[in-house]
Amino acid sequence: MANKREVHASVKDEKLVKVRRDQMIKGAVSLFKEKGFHRTTTREIAKASGFSIGTLYEYIETKEDVLYLVCDSIYEEVKERLQESIDPKLGTIEGLKAAVEAYFRVMADMQDEVLVMYQEAKSLSKDALPYVLNKELQMVHMFEEILQGCVEKKELTMTESEIQLCAHNIFVQGQMWGFRRWALKSRFSLDEYIQMQTKFVLEGITNK
C-alpha cells in the first residue's frame, strides 16, 4: 500500500493548519474546475482562499501540494460519508440497494469535486498518485464486501471476479452522474437515475 505523503507546513498549530488548508482546498476546487490545475496560479489560489500568497506558503511548499490536498480531502470525505451510510456486512439485496443509493447521492453532492479530481489527478507526482488511487480502491472494496456478504447469505451467486467487476461498475456508474450531467440532467432526475441504474445492476447479477 502506498504511504500517505506528508505536506510540510511551517505553522505548528495543527488546528490552524487544518482550517487554512480547508479554505485552500475549497478555493482551489473552484479554480481547478474553471481553469484547470496547470493554468491556475498559486496567487489565484491564495486569493480564492482568502489570504495572501505569503500565508499560502506557510501551509504548503508547491502548487502540486495543493492538488494533492484536494484529492486526498475529496476521497476522505467520500469515504467518511459512505462509512456513515453503508453497512458492508449486511449481506442482503436491500442492503446493496441502500448502499448504491447512498453512494450515488454522495457523488451527486460532490460532483464538482470528483470531476476536478479525475481531470487533474494525472498531474500528481509519481509518489502521490498511487496513494490517492489506492483510496479509491478502498471505497470500491466496500461494495465488494457487500456483494460478498450477499453471496455468503445465498442472496446472490457470483464468482470472485464477478464481484470485483460489479463493484467497479457500481463505482463508475455513481461517478457518471457528474461526468455526464450535461446530458443526463435534461433527461433524468437524480431519483430516476438512481432507480434505473440500481435496476440495471440487480438485473445483471440476479438474472443469470
Side-chain angles (χ1 to χ4, degrees):
M1 181 183 297
N3 294 324
K4 182 170 184 174
R5 173 181 168 183
E6 293 298 325
V7 177
H8 176 74
S10 59
V11 175
K12 303 307 179 185
D13 184 334
E14 293 184 3
K15 290 184 179 179
L16 182 58
V17 169
K18 185 179 187 313
V19 169
R20 290 289 190 240
R21 285 183 173 173
D22 285 346
Q23 292 174 292
M24 194 185 307
I25 288 164
K26 184 177 180 181
V29 165
S30 61
L31 287 169
F32 293 167
K33 179 189 173 187
E34 177 186 354
K35 303 180 64 173
F37 171 72
H38 290 293
R39 291 175 56 210
T40 298
T41 67
T42 50
R43 191 170 298 278
E44 288 172 325
I45 294 171
K47 182 178 179 181
S49 305
F51 41 76
S52 70
I53 186 71
T55 300
L56 181 79
Y57 278 110
E58 292 179 354
Y59 300 95
I60 58 153
E61 292 183 320
T62 67
K63 188 173 75 168
E64 197 262 338
D65 285 343
V66 180
L67 178 60
Y68 173 79
L69 291 172
V70 166
C71 292
D72 190 43
S73 173
I74 291 169
Y75 273 127
E76 276 300 306
E77 182 172 351
V78 173
K79 185 172 74 171
E80 288 173 7
R81 290 180 63 176
L82 288 181
Q83 287 173 336
E84 291 173 359
S85 305
I86 292 175
D87 181 359
K89 302 188 185 302
L90 200 56
T92 65
I93 296 295
E94 288 305 310
L96 173 61
K97 289 166 64 176
V100 169
E101 179 175 359
Y103 168 62
F104 279 29
R105 292 194 184 281
V106 170
M107 288 293 96
D109 288 346
M110 299 184 64
Q111 55 190 273
D112 286 345
E113 290 89 340
V114 172
L115 188 60
V116 164
M117 184 180 61
Y118 272 96
Q119 287 175 335
E120 306 300 342
K122 61 183 180 295
S123 298
L124 288 167
S125 64
K126 290 183 179 179
D127 64 313
L129 184 58
Y131 167 77
V132 170
L133 295 181
N134 184 66
K135 297 188 84 166
E136 177 168 310
L137 293 179
Q138 292 174 19
M139 288 181 280
V140 172
H141 184 64
M142 291 184 188
F143 287 101
E144 291 178 357
E145 286 187 293
I146 294 169
L147 292 165
Q148 184 62 49
C150 290
V151 170
E152 291 172 357
K153 293 187 177 181
K154 310 298 182 185
E155 295 257 329
L156 293 172
T157 301
M158 301 178 73
T159 66
E160 189 66 30
S161 294
E162 288 171 338
I163 288 172
Q164 292 175 356
L165 185 57
C166 183
H168 280 281
N169 283 345
I170 292 169
F171 206 78
V172 172
Q173 286 168 2
Q175 294 167 338
M176 192 172 78
W177 180 255
F179 296 155
R180 302 286 298 176
R181 60 187 172 186
W182 58 271
L184 294 172
K185 284 189 174 180
S186 64
R187 299 290 302 275
F188 310 103
S189 67
L190 177 60
D191 288 341
E192 290 171 334
Y193 180 78
I194 293 172
Q195 182 180 20
M196 292 177 70
Q197 289 286 25
T198 303
K199 177 184 176 183
F200 294 154
V201 169
L202 293 177
E203 286 180 347
I205 60 180
T206 58
N207 297 329
K208 294 187 179 179

